[in-house]
Amino acid sequence: MTTVAVIGLGIMGAPMATNLVTAGFDVIGYNRSPHKGGRLVAVGGRTASGLAKAVRGADVVLTMLPDSPDVEEVVLGDQGVLAFAAPGTLLIDASTIRPDVSVRIADAAAARGIRAVDAPVSGGEAGAVEGNLSIMVGGEEADVEAARPVLNAVGSTVVHVGPSGSGQTVKAANQLIVAGTIGLVAEALVFLEAHGVDTKGAVQVLAGGLAGNRILDRKATSMLARDFQPGFRVDLHHKDLGIVISAAREAGVATPLGAVVAQLMGALRANGHGSLDHSALLLMIEQLSGRIHA
Ligand code: NAD
């Protein structure tokens, strides 16, 4: 039986670990704050009291951590994954981080005989729970093939998009599209409310036409109810838009709409809303429109 160590049992990592157990893997989870392993243990997984205990003896290490410095510390640190993993171990980083950091991690892993792929995911908490994430994978062909059984247990669309770091580049494009779409849906909802039309009916008919999109399908109802429980935190999307802006600059391409939505996301965070769901971008549009919802 393949043993998978899952490092980071947060909103995404916990349900992904659970789905790995369901798919027949031996799963050992580790999270810095220890109270997060309850669901994993309830379905038959195990938890470790330290990173070393989780990683030693694992065939695959899957990291699902917030940001680039977290992954660097957990993988490259003195007491990190590379210090404890046996040669031949497969490291799958599913976190969304900077593409250049993924490349550096893959190089450091290779120097120790450890195979590494970047495999950021899209589909949100619902996708993680339902096991139908979309996964964009960067790395060597053979390593990506080796990762497929694990990735197929947590996702339904798994695509190898190029060498190390490519998964992160595709994920950055994903985050650009998602943030821009949320921004436009937020503007449309504030616009519709200002005109006093039936917003629920409006969302229904908009979703059926060319304006239809996943944000309308999945987020409009909670946005109308001003329910911004995360989901995907503003703090994390702010981080991702930083990746988009610097990667676009590096490539010499213009992302003018991305720049605007990055500013709006940053302003939302600066106003103390970093731990709300990213659909709370609606609050910024309301504020700019002088329409603060009761
Ligand atoms: P989260 O904050 O809920 O989970 C991260 C977990 O990692 C937390 O439980 C935290 O305690 C743990 N952690 C942090 N540092 C650690 C360390 N040094 N050692 C062990 N554990 C540590 O975040 P999340 O929403 O699950 O997101 C994880 C990653 O997935 C991020 O990169 C995010 O951008 C990406 N992502 C999130 C979503 C979403 O909808 N939430 C969707 C796609 C991608």
Side-chain angles (χ1 to χ4, degrees), residues 50-74:
L51 182 75
K53 285 188 179 152
V55 170
R56 282 196 183 112
D59 305 295
V60 178
V61 177
L62 187 149
T63 43
M64 196 47 168
L65 299 161
D67 199 353
S68 303
D70 306 304
V71 180
E72 284 180 299
E73 181 202 320
V74 165

Side-chain angles (χ1 to χ4, degrees), residues 31-178:
N31 196 83
R32 193 173 44 189
S33 29
H35 61 280
K36 296 207 177 172
R39 235 188 318 167
L40 174 59
V41 171
V43 297
R46 297 176 288 145
T47 55
S49 55
L51 182 75
K53 285 188 179 152
V55 170
R56 282 196 183 112
D59 305 295
V60 178
V61 177
L62 187 149
T63 43
M64 196 47 168
L65 299 161
D67 199 353
S68 303
D70 306 304
V71 180
E72 284 180 299
E73 181 202 320
V74 165
V75 175
L76 304 176
D78 288 347
Q79 300 293 305
V81 172
L82 297 188
F84 303 120
T89 304
L90 178 64
L91 171 63
I92 303 175
D93 180 31
S95 328
T96 304
I97 64 171
R98 292 192 344 241
D100 60 297
V101 175
S102 286
V103 172
R104 203 144 44 77
I105 284 174
D107 289 346
R112 296 188 53 91
I114 291 164
R115 303 169 290 160
V117 298
D118 47 299
V121 308
S122 177
E125 185 183 14
V129 171
E130 291 158 18
N132 58 15
L133 292 166
S134 194
I135 311 181
M136 32 227 108
V137 197
E140 300 279 342
E141 179 76 41
D143 300 342
V144 174
E145 287 314 304
R148 263 187 207 280
V150 171
L151 297 176
N152 285 338
V154 296
S156 51
T157 306
V158 178
V159 181
H160 182 199
V161 291
S164 291
S166 309
Q168 298 297 351
T169 303
V170 175
K171 174 66 183 181
N174 182 85
Q175 295 307 81
L176 171 65
I177 294 171
V178 172

Side-chain angles (χ1 to χ4, degrees), residues 2 4-6 13-28 40 43 60 62 92 128 147 149-155:
T2 303
V4 184
V6 178
M16 288 166 75
T18 304
N19 285 333
L20 287 169
V21 174
T22 309
F25 290 98
D26 170 38
V27 179
I28 179 157
L40 174 59
V43 297
V60 178
L62 187 149
I92 303 175
V150 171
L151 297 176
N152 285 338
V154 296

